[in-house]
Amino acid sequence: MATIYDVAKQAGVSPKTVSRVLNGDAPVGARTREAVEAAIRALDYRPSSAARTMRSSRSGLVGLITGAISRGDGSAGPSGLPDLFIVQAIQRVVAEAGMTLMIADTGGEADRAVELMATFAQHRAEGLIYVADSHQRIEDLDPRGTPLVLANCFDAAGTPAVLPDDRAGQRALVERVIAAGHRRIAYLTLPEGMIATELRSRGYREALEAAGIAFDPALVIEGFADHGEGPRPYIASALDRLLALEDRPSVICCGNDELALRLYGELRDRGIRVPQEISVAGYDDYRVISETLYPPLTTADLNYRGIGEAAARRLLALIAGAPAPTEAEVIGGPVCWRQSVTEH
C-alpha cells in the first residue's frame, strides 16, 4: 500500500507538500498540485482516515449508551417499550448526517454509563446520547466536555433532554374516549412512583375535569404491580374491584399495551366481550400487541421513534456549535383509534 512518502517521491516534492495538497491548508502552485494528484492516481494512494482525524477535531463519531441490547428480548414491561426503538431512530438520523454511531450497552448496570462515556471520550466521539428505558430522572453524568443529550430521561444538572409528553398523551386518549360517549372511565395505572404514572394520571383527571365528569377514585387502580403473585393475578383482583362497583365502568384504560393484552385475556376467561360489553384502551402503540389483538387496540402512541429523532437532531446541533437549550424538548404522539373502544 502506497504511503505519503511514496507519493512525494513519485511527484518529486516533499511529504509536507503532499499533505498540503491533501488537506488544502496551505497554498500550492498549480503545476505542483497537478504533479501530486497525478502521483496519487498512479499509486492509488488512499489517505488514512485515522491520520486525518488526528489532524482535526472531527472524528465523525457519535457515542450512544443504552441498555436496549441486553434487554432486547422484545418484551414490554412496566416501563413501556424497549428503548431499542429510540436507538434505531437515532441511528437513522446520525447516518443521514454522514456520521457513525458507536453503541455501548450497560448490561443492566446503570452505573457503567460514566465508564462508557470515558471510553467514548478516548475514541474522540464528537457527541454522546444516553437512552433510558423509561421516563425517569437519572444521576448527573460526566461527559468530560463532550456534548451530551439525554433521551427518555432528565437530570438535575439541566443536561439537554428529550422526553415523552405523557400528560398530554393520556389526556388526548381520555378526551377521545369521552367524545365516543363514555362517562365511566376506569384507569389501571403503571406502578406508583413512576414519572409516567404521575403525569398520565394528571392527564386522565384533566380530561375528566374538562368534560365536567367528576373524578371517582374507585375507578383508578394500580394495575401493573407484582406483589409476589405476578401481574395477571393482580389484574384479576383489580378487575374484580371494578366489576363489583354499582356503577361499573364502560371502558378501562390501561397503563400500557402489555397490561391491556393481559386484561383482554382476563376478560375473555370471564366470558366478557371486548368491546361489546366493556371497552379497553392501552398506551404505547406497541404494534406487535395493538395491531394483532382482536379487536385491534385503541391506544396512545408514545412516539419512541420521535424521541430518538429529536435527540439525534439536538445532538447534531450541539456538535455544530448551537447553544444548549435551557428546557427539555417534549415529544407527543397521536391517539390510535381502533375497534377495542365502542361508540356509545
Side-chain angles (χ1 to χ4, degrees):
M1 181 179 295
T3 69
I4 192 172
Y5 299 99
D6 297 325
V7 173
K9 182 177 180 180
Q10 175 93 358
V13 299
S14 68
K16 187 173 183 179
T17 299
V18 176
S19 177
R20 288 173 177 170
V21 172
L22 292 171
N23 297 314
D25 55 5
V28 177
R31 293 181 62 182
T32 300
R33 178 179 297 277
E34 290 173 2
V36 170
E37 290 175 346
I40 289 173
R41 290 192 298 271
L43 297 173
D44 193 25
Y45 172 68
R46 301 179 184 277
S48 166
S49 58
R52 289 198 304 269
T53 295
M54 292 299 292
R55 288 192 296 268
S56 71
S57 60
R58 304 297 301 273
S59 66
L61 302 175
V62 169
L64 184 147
I65 299 171
T66 178
I69 299 172
S70 55
R71 264 195 323 276
D73 59 357
S75 63
S79 60
L81 299 178
D83 39 342
L84 185 61
F85 295 128
I86 299 178
V87 174
Q88 290 172 340
I90 292 170
Q91 164 69 32
R92 183 173 60 256
V93 174
V94 169
E96 289 172 354
M99 303 185 75
T100 300
L101 187 68
M102 299 188 298
I103 302 175
D105 190 273
T106 61
E109 301 176 20
D111 55 1
R112 287 198 63 214
V114 173
E115 170 192 337
L116 293 171
M117 285 190 171
T119 300
F120 281 137
Q122 292 173 358
H123 286 79
R124 304 180 70 247
E126 295 185 48
L128 301 169
I129 300 178
Y130 179 86
V131 180
D133 66 329
S134 68
H135 187 169
Q136 61 186 274
R137 176 173 172 171
I138 64 170
E139 295 296 325
D140 294 351
L141 300 171
D142 180 13
R144 305 193 177 202
T146 304
L148 169 65
V149 171
L150 306 177
N152 210 27
C153 58
F154 62 96
D155 62 13
T159 300
V162 180
L163 302 170
D165 197 345
D166 286 300
R167 178 179 174 183
Q170 189 69 54
R171 174 168 178 161
L173 176 64
V174 176
E175 286 176 342
R176 180 65 181 84
V177 169
I178 292 171
H182 295 271
R183 307 287 291 181
R184 292 289 287 171
I185 304 169
Y187 182 26
L188 298 185
T189 75
L190 297 178
E192 293 184 7
M194 292 185 66
I195 291 174
T197 301
E198 176 187 349
L199 293 175
R200 293 180 196 174
S201 296
R202 195 182 308 171
Y204 165 82
R205 296 190 63 162
E206 288 174 350
L208 296 179
E209 182 179 354
I213 300 174
F215 171 71
D216 183 352
L219 291 174
V220 180
I221 302 173
E222 183 179 344
F224 211 128
D226 186 345
H227 298 299
E229 303 173 340
R232 184 182 172 104
Y234 194 72
I235 292 172
S237 174
L239 187 57
D240 286 340
R241 290 167 57 184
L242 292 175
L243 296 180
L245 295 174
E246 184 175 346
D247 189 3
R248 288 164 50 164
S250 62
V251 58
I252 302 175
C253 294
C254 299
N256 67 11
D257 292 345
E258 185 187 2
L259 183 55
L261 169 64
R262 295 176 182 274
L263 179 60
Y264 265 52
E266 188 64 37
L267 290 168
R268 182 181 60 249
D269 289 347
R270 298 177 187 223
I272 300 174
R273 296 174 299 163
V274 178
Q276 292 88 344
E277 295 176 78
I278 194 162
S279 295
V280 177
Y283 202 105
D284 283 341
D285 195 27
Y286 187 15
R287 294 181 183 178
V288 171
I289 294 175
S290 63
E291 293 184 348
T292 57
L293 278 174
Y294 183 79
L297 181 66
T298 290
T299 185
D301 182 4
L302 198 148
N303 200 1
Y304 278 91
R305 291 177 176 83
I307 292 171
E309 291 169 359
R313 289 194 299 267
R314 176 156 289 192
L315 181 64
L316 293 173
L318 293 175
I319 291 172
T326 57
E327 295 184 358
E329 182 175 357
V330 180
I331 302 296
V335 172
C336 303
W337 193 259
R338 301 188 179 97
Q339 289 74 42
S340 67
V341 179
T342 187
E343 301 280 344
H344 267 214

